[in-house]
Amino acid sequence: MNRIWFPLILFSFSMAGCTMAPEYIRPEAPVPAAWPEGPAYRENGTAPQAKAVAEIPWQEFFVDEKLRKLVALALENNRDLRVAALNIEKSRATYQIRRSDLVPKVDATATATYQRIAEDFSGFGIPLDIHQYTVGLGMSSYELDLFGRVRSLKDQALEQYFATRQARRSVQISLVAEVAANYLALAADRERLKLAQETLASQQASYRLIRSRYDAGVSSALDLNQAQTSVDTARVDIARYATLVAQDINALDLVVGTRVSPGLLPEALSDTLTALKDLTPGLPSDVLLGRPDILQAEHLLKGANANIGAARAAFFPRITLVSSVGFGTDQLRDLFVSGSFVYSVAPRITLPIFQGGANRANLKAAEVERDIAVAQYEKAIQSAFREVADALAQRGTIDEQVTAQQSLADATAESYRLSLARYEKGVDSYLTVLDSQRALYGAQQNLIGVRLTRLLNLATLYKVLGGGV
């Protein structure tokens, strides 16, 4: 028996590292070697920083202590991240199943057969009772992987497992950025609500003053109604921002995965202006190829490449073994006595002759799947390049926007002060005051929006540059 199938198994193990998959060559990145240049990209630079962005942990990037605690809660409770982690476990189990196909599966068996043969068939003119008992160890349908079919399927499962690990990293980076975005949006809306409330209080005081002047016959009904419109506009904004604040808290609860304590909520955006660190982008080749979504696409490409090896191996013979070794007898008490040793070996060779073109079609499908994976990998790189370029374009101009908006807010505040003084002295109508007040209110709200955009841009840069986890 050993002369029959042990050499075949040993030969199969010696061939275990061989597959018919084509050599993997990473496709060239279909993007420029440098980030875009122009007026929108000034001061971005390509000088390396002390650490690559992918090596900067979120605890180091986020400075605000409340935000750090929220990110930690999200990493513990967010359901999307849990699903990604469970997908890793599922993929690992699939890989282990494929890997187990490389080794024989041995089962213990025990059988008892009771048979009665009629007297016409027994040859002795009397019926016969036959009892058979066997116990042993055996292999069922073990394939000798001479041409790497099983090995290729195992490699494909391994690359799928690696891809799911990168998918989890991608989900985690996106989650960290989303927590920061929701936190900052809540801070901005709370500040906008506070500004609307302060504006309402100011307008109500102005309305009472004009009302008293109207009752005294100093101000006109037009001034009174214009003051009323200013009060009502602030009331509308208060209701609107109160709704947005509540919705922001709900969104934060969802992304964190649990009810957020009021003590961890931000008070105003002006308190979080230094909540995030600044970043240096580095070079595209260093940034993009290290992003988890691109690494995921590359692992899927490698898996598709390995699948070609399995499709090619289907053209060659498949050798499977069914064997058993043990003891057998017609008397249960004599099962393990001398002379009851039995074995069986049933090698089977299957050589494809006519498959109706199925094997060629499977190979063609595997090759097309590999080509699709190449296109998806290249598209992932192009999309990543565009995301980083967009974030850098905004980064190159956002500080100038903040400076200009701050100057505009200061100028409108002075205009409002002067117009109010001229109205109180009877030089201008209240319409001038109302226009100045609306311009100031709009400039202050826009200043909050621009500051929010600057902070969101930093969070986006951390995400698209493959921030560390």
Side-chain angles (χ1 to χ4, degrees):
M1 179 184 65
N2 293 351
R3 291 194 300 268
I4 297 175
W5 57 285
F6 277 169
L8 290 176
I9 295 179
L10 292 176
F11 180 69
S12 175
F13 286 159
S14 69
M15 297 289 290
C18 302
T19 69
M20 305 188 73
E23 180 183 1
Y24 172 74
I25 300 176
R26 175 187 286 175
E28 292 292 331
V31 295
W35 301 117
E37 297 180 354
Y41 298 94
R42 60 181 177 275
E43 298 180 1
N44 283 325
T46 57
Q49 53 193 13
K51 287 184 180 180
V53 177
E55 298 176 357
I56 300 178
W58 60 266
Q59 297 93 333
E60 186 176 323
F61 175 67
F62 297 110
V63 180
D64 186 88
E65 188 62 31
K66 291 182 179 179
L67 181 53
R68 286 180 179 175
K69 292 180 180 179
L70 286 178
V71 171
L73 282 174
L75 295 178
E76 181 180 351
N77 296 289
N78 183 266
R79 271 43 177 191
D80 289 335
L81 193 59
R82 288 186 185 179
V83 170
L86 292 173
N87 283 333
I88 291 179
E89 297 301 318
K90 176 184 175 182
S91 182
R92 180 188 290 118
T94 301
Y95 165 67
Q96 290 172 345
I97 292 172
R98 290 295 187 185
R99 186 177 61 179
S100 69
D101 291 337
L102 290 171
V103 297
K105 296 178 176 61
V106 180
D107 300 316
T109 61
T111 61
T113 303
Y114 303 94
Q115 184 179 9
R116 182 178 180 85
I117 301 178
E119 60 183 26
D120 292 339
F121 302 138
S122 68
F124 297 98
I126 60 174
L128 293 179
D129 291 328
I130 299 177
H131 298 172
Q132 293 180 336
Y133 305 93
T134 61
V135 294
L137 301 175
M139 295 187 304
S140 59
S141 299
Y142 169 61
E143 179 178 348
L144 298 178
D145 194 30
L146 301 182
F147 301 99
R149 189 188 73 87
V150 178
R151 176 83 177 184
S152 294
L153 293 176
K154 187 268 296 183
D155 291 343
Q156 181 191 30
L158 179 61
E159 295 299 336
Q160 182 67 41
Y161 165 64
F162 289 148
T164 55
R165 290 182 59 183
Q166 295 300 331
R168 184 191 182 280
R169 281 189 59 211
S170 183
V171 170
Q172 182 165 333
I173 293 173
S174 298
L175 174 62
V176 170
E178 187 176 0
V179 172
N182 290 340
Y183 180 85
L184 295 172
L186 174 59
D189 286 337
R190 278 192 159 184
E191 187 164 333
R192 286 166 172 155
L193 175 60
K194 182 180 179 181
L195 177 60
Q197 291 170 338
E198 293 174 349
T199 301
L200 175 61
S202 174
Q203 292 307 313
Q204 286 175 333
S206 297
Y207 175 80
R208 289 191 295 268
L209 175 62
I210 295 174
R211 181 74 190 187
S212 63
R213 290 166 62 91
Y214 172 77
D215 293 339
V218 178
S219 296
S220 65
L222 178 60
D223 291 344
L224 183 63
N225 283 291
Q226 288 173 339
Q228 182 64 50
T229 61
S230 182
V231 170
D232 292 339
T233 299
R235 290 174 57 195
V236 170
D237 282 352
I238 287 175
R240 179 162 62 93
Y241 288 124
T243 299
L244 291 176
V245 166
Q247 292 174 341
D248 290 339
I249 294 175
N250 293 337
L252 197 57
D253 288 343
L254 176 62
V255 73
V256 171
T258 186
R259 186 70 178 176
V260 177
S261 169
L264 294 179
L265 299 178
E267 294 298 330
L269 188 68
S270 56
D271 298 333
T272 62
L273 295 181
T274 59
L276 288 73
K277 281 190 174 182
D278 204 352
L279 296 171
T280 301
L283 295 172
S285 59
D286 299 328
V287 173
L288 299 181
L289 297 183
R291 276 185 34 153
D293 56 334
I294 294 178
L295 292 174
Q296 178 188 1
E298 184 174 12
H299 284 303
L300 293 176
L301 170 57
K302 290 180 179 179
N305 197 67
N307 194 41
I308 294 178
R312 287 177 175 176
F315 287 89
F316 294 86
R318 293 176 62 180
I319 302 176
T320 57
L321 292 177
V322 178
S323 66
S324 65
V325 59
F327 300 91
T329 181
D330 60 354
Q331 297 293 329
L332 186 59
R333 65 176 179 272
D334 297 331
L335 188 59
F336 297 103
V337 300
S338 175
S340 62
F341 178 74
V342 296
Y343 72 86
S344 68
V345 179
R348 182 178 66 181
I349 299 178
T350 303
L351 176 64
I353 297 178
F354 177 74
Q355 302 290 331
N359 286 341
R360 290 187 179 278
N362 286 333
L363 177 58
K364 181 63 176 178
E367 291 173 342
V368 172
E369 183 180 357
R370 188 268 315 275
D371 294 340
I372 292 174
V374 170
Q376 291 174 334
Y377 173 72
E378 292 174 341
K379 177 62 181 297
I381 293 178
Q382 290 176 333
S383 298
F385 185 89
R386 186 267 174 92
E387 289 175 354
V388 177
D390 285 349
L392 292 177
Q394 188 178 59
R395 177 193 177 185
T397 58
I398 190 62
D399 287 338
E400 183 178 344
Q401 292 180 48
V402 172
T403 301
Q405 191 63 45
Q406 180 66 66
S407 177
L408 178 61
D410 294 341
T412 52
E414 181 64 16
S415 296
Y416 173 67
R417 186 187 67 80
L418 293 175
S419 64
L420 185 60
R422 290 171 64 86
Y423 169 74
E424 291 174 349
K425 294 180 179 180
V427 177
D428 284 333
S429 67
Y430 190 72
L431 180 60
T432 304
V433 177
L434 185 61
D435 288 340
S436 298
Q437 189 276 329
R438 288 174 177 171
L440 173 60
Y441 180 67
Q444 291 173 328
Q445 291 286 8
N446 289 337
L447 179 60
I448 296 174
V450 174
R451 287 175 172 173
L452 174 63
T453 300
R454 182 183 182 279
L455 292 174
L456 291 178
N457 175 253
L458 289 176
T460 300
L461 271 174
Y462 184 74
K463 172 185 173 182
V464 300
L465 291 174
V469 296

